[in-house]
Amino acid sequence: LVQLVESGGGSVQSGGSLRLSCTASAGFVVNTWSMSWFRLGPGKDYEGVAGMTQDGQTTYTDSVKGRFTISRDNAENTVYLQMDNLKPEDTGTYYCAADRRPILEWWLMTKRGTQSGWWGQGTLVTVSS
């Protein structure tokens, strides 16, 4: 059974920072998958926020470029999302996910309502103004 477990969510004020972690279950090697962080904001569709391919290439949605950083610790089998200068519009539940598809194709499918791959249970991030 594959498990992706997110942690690190919480409530912060605008301008604050959080670091989300996504740890995979034993036998699931994160650096052999494309990994992404998605978020589901109030009244919004799923949105791909940051992604990393097996070879370490990163992709960010425009609204978080320069503020969020996705990284991976292969020894810990964990993927991180460092979020700085948080804004109220970043509020939502953040999900870690893994798939074999190209990142942008995967994000578009998800936005259109087709989830694929392995997903964690999500962690809530609330940013107040």
Side-chain angles (χ1 to χ4, degrees), residues 19-41:
R19 189 176 80 154
L20 307 183
S21 300
C22 169
T23 301
S25 54
F28 186 94
V29 183
V30 296
N31 65 1
T32 64
W33 293 77
S34 289
M35 301 296 297
S36 277
W37 288 94
F38 291 88
R39 70 184 173 197
L40 185 62

Side-chain angles (χ1 to χ4, degrees), residues 5-6 14 18 27 31-32 60 64 66 69-70 78 80 92 98 100 103 108-110 125-126 128-129:
V5 180
E6 303 98 334
S14 183
L18 286 172
N31 65 1
T32 64
Y60 298 93
V64 308
T69 304
I70 187 171
T78 298
Y80 300 98
R100 299 291 192 192
I103 297 284
L108 185 58
M109 284 180 57
T110 305
V125 171
T126 303
S128 58
S129 57

Side-chain angles (χ1 to χ4, degrees), residues 31-86:
N31 65 1
T32 64
W33 293 77
S34 289
M35 301 296 297
S36 277
W37 288 94
F38 291 88
R39 70 184 173 197
L40 185 62
K44 299 180 181 178
D45 297 326
Y46 282 100
E47 177 185 24
V49 173
M52 178 177 282
T53 62
Q54 293 95 319
D55 62 2
Q57 291 185 339
T58 58
T59 301
Y60 298 93
T61 193
D62 285 345
S63 64
V64 308
K65 286 179 180 176
R67 300 189 297 121
F68 290 13
T69 304
I70 187 171
S71 61
R72 184 177 65 202
D73 185 327
N74 295 334
E76 295 294 325
N77 206 30
T78 298
V79 177
Y80 300 98
L81 184 66
Q82 178 66 43
M83 305 187 294
D84 297 318
N85 190 21
L86 281 160

